[in-house]
Amino acid sequence: MRYFIELSYRGTAYHGWQTQANGNSVQTTLEAALTQRFGKPIYVVASGRTDAGVHARQQFAHFDVAEPFPLTDSFIYSLNCILPEDIVIHRIFPVQEKDHARFSATFRYYQYLISRQKSAFQSGLTYHFRPQLNEILMNEACQLLLQHTNFQSFSKARANVTHFHCRLDFAYWERINNDSLTFHIRANRFLWGMVRTIVGTMIEIGQERMTLDQFEQIILSRDRNKAGRAAPANGLFLIEVGYPEEVLEQGAGGRQQGE
């Protein structure tokens, strides 16, 4: 039997999603809670691997067990009691054996938050960046970005992938108020470090230190050394992971808990 888990987490205390030899990860913590609750080893596969310090408002993972089990409110509650406060399981639901948290996903949607003002309550959840940014120019850069599919220039050099093509659905900056900006981007897949590098490069445009022509030349160069520095991890959130309707319909009545 295969089950999907919908969860969220604050990534500040973790060395990313993936199990690490030298640091705590979200995957390891989740697997430990499931193993404790089931009384036998449970291993999970996520929709994607978030980097150290990156957060997820919605993440999906799947795991396999030999027999079905009762999906009661108390079962999910007990798992959330085992997990630390910065990881929350919202629901668990059965899926078909062929359904895969990573390979069945149709899109991933990220947001990056920037604030000019320091906040005692948003520490670790937004990038505190004081200079004023020109979001008009940054949105013009987004329009250029949407004209391309090869994003090797924004991928970490050690990325172990067969190609660097991604289909972007949208990319834009939204000014929340005079002190806050949010970058929205959705694609069928993302390369390692891609969103943070795009944000870091667009910050150069927003400060008018880089022209739109220079930005497009960076994309065309397919050279990570040409792009800007990656923005800090703390401002990045995985917001939503999309799946075909037939996958999520199986979980429409799944047990839900948490915020």
Side-chain angles (χ1 to χ4, degrees):
M1 289 288 297
R2 175 160 292 181
Y3 289 85
F4 266 33
I5 303 175
E6 181 184 352
L7 69 153
S8 58
Y9 50 85
R10 175 174 173 151
T12 306
Y14 301 95
H15 287 69
W17 165 269
Q18 189 176 15
T19 296
Q20 306 285 327
N22 58 350
N24 195 24
S25 73
V26 179
Q27 180 183 5
T28 300
T29 306
L30 179 61
E31 288 177 342
L34 290 166
T35 296
Q36 179 179 336
R37 185 65 181 80
F38 279 98
K40 54 188 173 183
I42 300 292
Y43 304 99
V44 300
V45 176
S47 69
R49 304 168 183 174
T50 52
D51 287 345
V54 175
H55 320 291
R57 294 196 184 277
Q58 183 185 68
Q59 171 71 288
F60 283 94
H62 77 247
F63 67 96
D64 297 322
V65 290
E67 300 290 339
F69 61 92
L71 283 171
T72 62
D73 287 336
S74 59
F75 181 86
I76 297 179
Y77 176 77
S78 67
L79 280 171
N80 280 323
C81 287
I82 296 170
L83 289 165
E85 291 186 355
D86 51 10
I87 302 176
V88 176
I89 292 175
H90 298 291
R91 59 176 175 151
I92 300 175
F93 56 94
V95 295
Q96 299 297 318
E97 185 178 356
K98 64 179 176 59
D99 295 329
H100 194 284
R102 178 183 175 190
F103 298 124
S104 297
T106 55
F107 69 80
R108 285 88 172 164
Y109 168 29
Y110 282 89
Q111 291 180 3
Y112 193 94
L113 281 56
I114 296 177
S115 176
R116 297 185 68 234
Q117 300 296 331
K118 183 179 179 180
S119 169
F121 303 103
Q122 294 296 313
S123 175
L125 297 174
T126 185
Y127 178 28
H128 177 212
F129 186 79
R130 184 63 184 168
Q132 188 68 263
L133 296 171
N134 184 337
E135 79 272 15
I136 295 175
L137 286 176
M138 294 161 78
N139 273 318
E140 289 181 13
C142 287
Q143 292 304 306
L144 288 174
L145 197 70
L146 291 169
Q147 296 174 22
H148 296 272
T149 61
N150 188 305
F151 299 104
Q152 184 172 355
S153 296
F154 303 113
S155 174
K156 288 186 179 180
R158 292 184 290 114
N160 183 22
V161 294
T162 57
H163 67 88
F164 296 90
H165 290 276
C166 308
R167 185 205 70 239
L168 297 189
D169 297 324
F170 57 72
Y172 64 92
W173 287 88
E174 176 187 19
R175 182 166 291 281
I176 308 302
N177 53 49
N178 188 52
D179 294 322
S180 300
L181 277 173
T182 300
F183 179 55
H184 303 260
I185 186 167
R186 195 178 86 173
N188 65 322
R189 66 190 289 263
F190 286 92
L191 305 170
W192 186 16
M194 177 175 162
V195 179
R196 290 169 55 201
T197 307
I198 288 173
V199 170
T201 306
M202 286 195 176
I203 284 175
E204 296 292 308
I205 295 170
Q207 295 180 91
E208 301 184 20
R209 295 179 175 177
M210 179 186 295
T211 67
L212 295 173
D213 286 342
Q214 288 173 326
F215 179 67
E216 187 159 35
Q217 288 305 309
I218 288 172
I219 299 172
L220 295 172
S221 72
R222 302 182 182 181
D223 182 354
R224 173 62 186 88
N225 294 320
K226 304 291 185 182
R229 293 187 302 173
N234 55 284
L236 184 59
F237 289 78
L238 175 59
I239 298 296
E240 183 183 4
V241 184
Y243 291 94
E245 285 186 13
E246 58 268 23
V247 175
L248 296 181
E249 279 175 358
Q250 298 169 83
R255 296 291 180 175
Q256 299 193 36
Q257 290 219 348
E259 291 290 337

